[in-house]
Amino acid sequence: MRAMVIDKYGKVPMRMAEMPIPEINEYEVLAEIHAASINPIDFKIRDGKVKLLVKYKMPLILGNDFSGVVMKVGAKVTRFKVGDAIYARPRKSNIGTFAEYISIHENDIALKPKNLSFEEAASIPLVGLTSYQALHDIIQLQKGQKILIQAGAGGVGTFAIQLAKVMGATVATTTSEAGTNLVKSLGADEIINYKTEKFEDILKNYDVVFDTIGGKILEKSFDIIKSGGKIVSISGIPNARFAKEYGSGFFKTLLFSAASNKLTALEKKHSAQYTFLFMKPSGDQLRIIANFIESGKIKPIIDRVFSFKDAQKAMEYSESGRAKGKIILKIR
């Protein structure tokens, strides 16, 4: 099969390679991939920035979510059959959606939302699961609460705004002038132009911040949070609490504790809770998300669709930060 691979960590371009079609075990299906999406985690993995959390063998096929069709099922697979249209985010140990086929555990799969094309469906799994686990599982967002969602016009942001509105929250978001109309159409109640305004000067007493940027932006988020509030980040530094829950071992826990000591100090100063989110695959949650989509409560936002052969161009476009919504690879 054709696949886009890297041969070493670093800012190196992907190359098209011929790779063996994956074998499946008794709990897996073989999926023919029709479309995949580009996500920031793809270039973080490429650059070796998640080596402390997950180790990969080279050559490595990149790609973290997809839509496609079931071609073969393992002996103990009960939920799916050959011919089913599916969408999924594979396990971190089994990434590789920039390819024509993938083997994937049935627990990580859901049927594709009926009202979406394969390209639209491929835009959902990673950002959908990330947003759902942040807002529902960790934050437990309540009706009437105020949430700031950073980078509202990005892939995660466009989904998270819609989900927060479904959950009944008041939503503020940051974007450039180019993204203002988009985030307004998704339901954002307050829009901060990050190029001309500082969100920490405008917003006060927020219940929740969902951070997708990290760094100084994450640190400034503590200035707007109320006592007892929650901050969840997918771009910040993992802390000791995350390391223990992830089973990282003593040395890595110590390392993450030291690296995140500034965030821990800000937690104490503002009486807030900081959580680093490393999203988990879940077919069950993708089924919930499919219901939101099929009922019209949430819609996919796609910036651009690239052909498979232009995967490297798609990656470069994603890294530019100019995309509004998701970037899709059309595999077939």
Side-chain angles (χ1 to χ4, degrees), residues 119-154:
E119 290 78 21
E120 290 170 328
S123 75
I124 298 294
L126 191 140
V127 298
L129 289 171
T130 299
S131 301
Y132 189 85
Q133 289 170 23
L135 273 58
H136 180 271
D137 296 354
I138 298 173
I139 294 166
Q140 298 177 347
L141 190 64
Q142 303 296 310
K143 185 177 181 179
Q145 285 188 316
K146 296 194 295 182
I147 180 172
L148 167 63
I149 297 170
Q150 295 283 11

Side-chain angles (χ1 to χ4, degrees), residues 23-330:
E23 298 292 328
I24 61 171
N25 67 32
E26 57 191 2
Y27 294 104
E28 291 180 329
V29 310
L30 179 68
E32 179 184 72
I33 298 175
H34 284 224
S37 81
I38 308 282
N39 295 282
I41 190 66
D42 295 314
F43 41 88
K44 288 179 182 178
I45 291 171
R46 179 204 64 193
D47 294 346
K49 291 181 178 178
V50 299
K51 281 193 291 186
L52 277 174
L53 297 173
V54 188
K55 291 183 178 179
Y56 294 107
K57 292 180 181 179
M58 301 291 169
L60 173 65
I61 304 172
L62 293 177
N64 283 271
D65 57 0
F66 77 97
S67 65
V69 174
V70 175
M71 302 301 288
K72 185 191 294 186
V73 298
K76 294 188 178 179
V77 170
T78 59
R79 292 181 172 182
F80 301 94
K81 65 184 186 302
V82 172
D84 281 343
I86 58 171
Y87 75 146
R89 193 277 196 241
R91 295 174 184 190
K92 296 173 183 71
S93 59
N94 191 44
I95 67 168
T97 64
F98 299 168
E100 293 181 307
Y101 297 93
I102 191 170
S103 60
I104 183 167
H105 197 288
E106 71 165 337
N107 289 349
D108 303 342
I109 305 167
L111 293 175
K112 179 180 74 66
K114 295 182 179 67
N115 57 334
L116 297 188
S117 67
F118 283 106
E119 290 78 21
E120 290 170 328
S123 75
I124 298 294
L126 191 140
V127 298
L129 289 171
T130 299
S131 301
Y132 189 85
Q133 289 170 23
L135 273 58
H136 180 271
D137 296 354
I138 298 173
I139 294 166
Q140 298 177 347
L141 190 64
Q142 303 296 310
K143 185 177 181 179
Q145 285 188 316
K146 296 194 295 182
I147 180 172
L148 167 63
I149 297 170
Q150 295 283 11
V156 172
T158 51
F159 192 98
I161 289 171
Q162 295 180 84
L163 180 60
K165 294 307 296 181
V166 169
M167 297 173 78
T170 297
V171 178
T173 193
T174 56
T175 187
S176 66
E177 187 175 353
T180 297
N181 288 338
L182 172 60
V183 298
K184 186 181 293 184
S185 73
L186 299 177
D189 300 287
E190 183 149 14
I191 302 166
I192 294 103
N193 183 339
Y194 70 86
K195 291 187 175 181
T196 59
E197 301 171 304
K198 295 181 178 180
F199 73 89
E200 67 271 24
D201 292 340
I202 298 170
L203 308 177
K204 301 296 178 190
N205 291 319
Y206 265 61
D207 300 284
V208 180
V209 175
F210 183 25
D211 168 68
T212 62
I213 300 172
K216 293 294 183 183
I217 297 296
L218 170 56
E219 293 171 12
K220 290 175 182 177
S221 296
F222 285 90
D223 294 336
I224 74 162
I225 207 80
K226 64 167 58 171
S227 178
K230 296 178 180 179
I231 298 176
V232 175
S233 179
I234 56 173
S235 298
I237 300 170
N239 55 10
R241 186 168 59 248
F242 166 82
K244 289 173 184 175
E245 291 172 356
Y246 195 71
S248 297
F250 176 77
F251 176 72
K252 288 183 182 177
T253 300
L254 201 65
L255 194 65
F256 288 141
S257 178
S260 63
N261 59 8
K262 188 171 186 179
L263 294 173
T264 301
L266 287 168
E267 274 188 298
K268 292 176 181 176
K269 178 182 176 181
H270 295 275
S271 299
Q273 181 184 1
Y274 165 71
T275 302
F276 173 77
L277 170 61
F278 199 38
M279 183 269 292
K280 302 170 185 174
S282 172
D284 289 339
Q285 290 183 345
L286 284 175
R287 279 184 276 281
I288 294 170
I289 290 166
N291 287 334
F292 287 142
I293 293 169
E294 289 175 351
S295 63
K297 294 176 180 176
I298 293 178
K299 61 183 179 181
I301 305 296
I302 293 175
D303 181 286
R304 194 174 298 182
V305 178
F306 287 81
S307 66
F308 191 21
K309 65 181 176 63
D310 289 329
Q312 180 58 35
K313 290 181 181 178
M315 186 81 93
E316 291 166 5
Y317 181 55
S318 178
E319 286 189 89
S320 76
R322 299 195 307 270
K324 302 292 182 281
K326 294 301 297 289
I327 302 164
I328 305 301
L329 286 183
K330 185 176 174 62

